[in-house]
Amino acid sequence: THFCVERTDVFLSKKRSELQKMTAEQFEEIKSGVLAELKEPEHTLWDHYYRDWLEVKFHQYKFDRKAIEIERLQRLTLE
């Protein structure tokens, strides 16, 4: 368990440093790319089924997770 906590701290520290060095333009470019990917519709019934199945499997039941993530990401800023 200690190893996992330590590795998580290292990961978070590295990502925090990357964000601090990032320009607003770089941030917006990455944000736009992630938004475009999230807005991409499922192309097959299997894709839709699998997304919903993961909600059931992990007892989350947030079947509108994708819409929630899009809305939150649109509000996200670098500050």
Side-chain angles (χ1 to χ4, degrees), residues 17-77:
S17 175
E18 288 174 12
L19 280 170
Q20 289 170 341
K21 294 175 186 174
M22 189 177 292
T23 66
E25 292 80 22
Q26 290 170 320
F27 177 80
E28 288 301 323
E29 184 178 339
I30 292 168
K31 179 178 161 180
S32 294
V34 173
L35 274 170
E37 188 174 323
L38 281 172
K39 290 179 179 180
E40 187 74 25
E42 283 88 8
H43 295 289
T44 66
L45 183 59
W46 171 254
D47 293 338
H48 184 81
Y49 163 81
Y50 187 70
R51 179 176 49 86
D52 286 347
W53 173 246
L54 290 176
E55 294 298 329
V56 174
K57 180 179 178 181
F58 293 111
H59 306 280
Q60 297 294 310
Y61 310 110
K62 293 181 182 174
F63 298 106
D64 60 345
R65 180 181 304 274
K66 197 173 185 181
I68 292 168
E69 289 177 354
I70 289 169
E71 190 272 326
R72 287 180 180 169
L73 185 56
Q74 288 172 330
R75 293 186 318 198
L76 192 64
T77 64

